[in-house]
Amino acid sequence: MAHSGPALGVSRRTLLRTSALGLVAGPALAACGGADDGPVLVRQRPNLTHGVAVGDPRSDGALIWARSDRPATLIVETAATESFTDARRFTGPLLTPDADGTGRVRVAGLPSGSLVHYRVTLEAEDGATSEPLTGVFRTAPTGPTDIKLQWSGDVAGQGYGINPDLGGMRIFSTMAARDPHLFLHSGDVVYADGPLQESVALPDGRIWRNTVTEAKSAVAQTLDQFRGQYAYNLSDRNYRGFNAVVAQLVQWDDHETVNNWYPGGTVAADKGYTERSMDTLATRAWQAFHEWMPLDPKEAVDGRLCRKVSYGPLLDVFVLDMRTYKDANGANTAPEGRIFGAAQTKWLIDGLRESRATWKIVANDLPLGVVVPDGKTAFEGPANGAPGAPSGRESEIAQVLSAIKANRVTGVLWLTADVHYTAAHRYSPERAAFTDFDEFWEFVSGPLNAGAFGPNQLDPTFGPEAVFVHAPPAPNTSPLDGAYQHFGEVRIDGRTAELTVDLCDATGAVLFSQRLPAPGR
């Protein structure tokens, strides 16, 4: 089984007290028999190799993810306190090499709006059990209450991986310490196309050091190489600690496969790939993503990644997949284009119209109005830089925005990452070439542990205004000082329903804050 290793874990803690994250290691072997019994049978204990993670919470539970280094059954216990008195037991699947030892189980039937302690163990066929790992999550509320959601993306890219000199990817510990209920991972959760070297010389003469594994030493092409990208990131204790205590809503973008990929594409001959079919690479990447992330494809729309997560009467989150439905990057100047696809476009329009939540967050893994070139004549996202009426992929954006206005949907804001800087964009028909929509905000964050870039040009079609931008002075600025590493935070007041967006740096300092009153108040 690939990527097996020592048991990795986190300290027992609650979301209400997030001052320390640590490791718990246990013995690898358990012996049966006594000293006078003659030869003893030594049973190999299974190990939880890469921590535990929580995903896609509901009002009565959530998904719990784990990985075993040998065939074993996933066991999860839940309780109201960390003493695990009167614990409930959930038996998950047998974790086998077929899924790289990974698996998940949905725990259900729990009280809404409550803090849940969970404990994960593995049970082998011979009865040997692993050391337990513990964590916490909150079930979604069914009544108005304070909500805190974080979002960001872009982990370990542009040659910057886990730096042991810095204690790893510390931004995840910063985020956990702020006690969020949810984390929206906006894509580029790994850089499968970004090999690492042990050291990187920076322009100012300093050296960035990387921990390097075999899988991270080359571009990912085989299934095991794609799996190794996730194993690498989860070797970071900060990331594992965050995963154990914050429920995630996960998206994917391009670097989980290869830079700027789209269905039917071909990797350029000079990129070092022997397998150049983007579809073949994406199939392998898709399997590794679903194995290693805390989500269940059976719970998504159309078998893809788009899904709605309701978090009480104040919030619905619409998680998009803007990668697997898109057309070719070079086709984005045609009269019409595809970025959502017909099924997802209808799902989003219908879902927003039917939502009764005060706020509707649309998690778009590609920015709407930021121009992201792919070479000289192609474009990575919806925007194509052309003034005037919507063209190419903008046609689907226009369709959604028009429907929001026609259906009188209020409280919609968009959260994204991808471009490796943070910004607040206000879109208004008063500045736009296309005017059939209501004013809205899009907030950009990232990266989490990658090279920083930007800012990019804004496409005028939907009238965006850059109200705030925080971007580095030079492209591919390293995460060494943390100044241009970012995450965003959304806070909803349970009493007033007012929503506040904070854009933060790696230390947790708030760089920009925008307060939005509840619609109709």
Side-chain angles (χ1 to χ4, degrees):
M1 183 181 299
H3 323 308
S4 62
L8 305 175
V10 297
S11 63
R12 180 176 300 172
R13 55 178 292 278
T14 72
L15 280 171
L16 303 179
R17 291 181 292 180
T18 59
S19 60
L21 299 174
L23 293 176
V24 177
L29 299 176
C32 300
D36 299 326
D37 292 340
V40 298
L41 171 65
V42 178
R43 295 187 297 182
Q44 188 79 21
R45 302 184 69 173
N47 285 318
L48 290 157
T49 62
H50 292 81
V52 291
V54 188
D56 285 12
R58 303 289 189 261
S59 61
D60 71 339
L63 284 169
I64 307 296
W65 174 95
R67 181 181 181 274
S68 177
D69 64 346
R70 69 207 64 216
T73 298
L74 175 62
I75 306 295
V76 177
E77 296 170 283
T78 64
T81 66
E82 60 183 348
S83 66
F84 285 91
T85 307
D86 299 325
R88 294 188 58 186
R89 178 184 170 99
F90 298 86
T91 301
L94 179 68
L95 309 186
T96 71
D98 290 343
D100 203 21
T102 66
R104 61 202 51 76
V105 59
R106 178 166 286 284
V107 298
L110 307 177
S112 65
S114 63
L115 185 69
V116 177
H117 294 258
Y118 69 94
R119 179 167 59 198
V120 179
T121 54
L122 301 169
E123 187 175 292
E125 291 182 355
D126 63 1
T129 59
S130 71
E131 285 288 319
L133 294 180
T134 60
V136 292
F137 68 91
R138 283 186 175 95
T139 53
T142 54
T145 188
D146 293 348
I147 297 172
K148 183 183 289 187
L149 175 149
Q150 294 174 345
W151 90 96
S152 190
D154 316 308
V155 182
Q158 288 72 49
Y160 304 114
I162 299 169
N163 189 331
D165 298 338
L166 303 181
M169 299 189 288
R170 294 181 299 177
I171 191 170
F172 284 101
S173 291
T174 299
M175 292 160 61
R178 296 173 69 91
D179 192 15
H181 305 158
L182 289 168
F183 175 57
L184 173 59
H185 205 315
S186 304
D188 292 342
V189 299
V190 297
Y191 276 75
D193 57 346
L196 298 177
Q197 298 179 347
E198 291 186 354
S199 62
V200 179
L202 303 179
D204 62 5
R206 293 183 294 174
I207 300 296
W208 173 278
R209 287 206 311 126
N210 285 315
T211 300
V212 182
T213 64
E214 181 180 355
K216 289 298 297 182
S217 298
V219 295
Q221 301 186 73
T222 68
L223 176 57
D224 273 348
Q225 285 175 322
F226 281 110
R227 289 166 166 171
Q229 309 303 307
Y230 299 89
Y232 175 83
N233 283 4
L234 285 174
S235 69
D236 180 76
R237 62 182 293 168
N238 304 282
Y239 193 13
R240 293 195 310 276
F242 181 85
N243 281 358
V245 297
V246 183
Q248 300 179 55
L249 309 178
V250 186
Q251 296 173 279
W252 79 336
D253 194 27
D254 57 336
H255 291 287
E256 289 85 355
T257 303
V258 63
N259 186 42
N260 294 349
W261 82 271
Y262 54 86
T266 302
V267 183
D270 62 348
K271 299 300 182 182
Y273 283 80
T274 56
E275 176 54 71
R276 295 179 56 200
S277 166
M278 290 183 178
D279 288 350
T280 300
L281 294 171
T283 298
R284 297 166 184 168
W286 176 266
Q287 179 174 339
F289 177 87
H290 281 83
E291 288 172 345
W292 282 81
M293 289 285 102
L295 78 165
D296 188 340
K298 295 190 296 291
E299 298 181 0
V301 177
D302 196 24
R304 307 295 178 97
L305 286 175
C306 51
R307 58 206 189 276
K308 172 190 171 184
V309 175
S310 295
Y311 208 78
L314 297 183
L315 177 63
D316 281 343
V317 182
F318 295 84
V319 182
L320 302 185
D321 182 343
M322 298 173 71
R323 183 60 50 181
T324 55
Y325 296 92
K326 69 189 294 190
D327 54 9
N329 289 348
N332 197 23
T333 56
E336 295 183 351
R338 190 173 63 253
I339 189 72
F340 296 149
Q344 187 173 209
T345 299
K346 183 180 186 303
W347 167 80
L348 180 58
I349 290 173
D350 292 347
L352 290 171
R353 183 188 66 245
E354 295 165 2
S355 173
R356 302 279 73 87
T358 304
W359 294 101
K360 299 93 175 166
I361 287 177
V362 181
N364 49 308
D365 48 287
L366 288 166
L368 300 183
V370 178
V371 179
V372 184
D374 179 13
K376 295 182 178 180
T377 60
F379 298 92
E380 166 69 348
N384 56 25
S391 58
R393 297 166 181 160
E394 293 172 338
S395 61
E396 287 189 336
I397 307 298
Q399 185 180 348
V400 171
L401 297 181
S402 293
I404 290 172
K405 178 181 179 180
N407 295 328
R408 299 181 181 180
V409 180
T410 60
V412 179
L413 70 153
W414 302 67
L415 301 182
T416 190
D418 184 65
V419 288
H420 295 234
Y421 63 94
T422 192
H425 297 150
R426 181 166 52 198
Y427 291 74
S428 173
E430 296 180 358
R431 293 184 295 271
F434 174 82
T435 62
D436 187 25
F437 69 96
D438 294 325
E439 182 174 287
F440 68 94
W441 286 86
E442 176 186 55
F443 296 94
V444 184
S445 191
L448 285 170
N449 191 83
F453 292 84
N456 291 31
Q457 173 191 346
L458 294 179
D459 187 298
T461 298
F462 301 115
E465 172 194 10
V467 177
F468 174 80
V469 173
H470 190 247
N476 202 21
T477 295
S478 84
L480 196 58
D481 298 320
Y484 298 101
Q485 305 294 297
H486 306 106
F487 65 93
E489 192 168 88
V490 175
R491 291 176 285 115
I492 302 176
D493 188 292
R495 182 178 60 86
T496 66
E498 180 182 73
L499 183 147
T500 302
V501 179
D502 293 331
L503 302 180
C504 307
D505 68 13
T507 69
V510 177
L511 306 175
F512 173 83
S513 187
Q514 180 65 46
R515 302 175 73 178
L516 301 174
R521 297 194 184 184

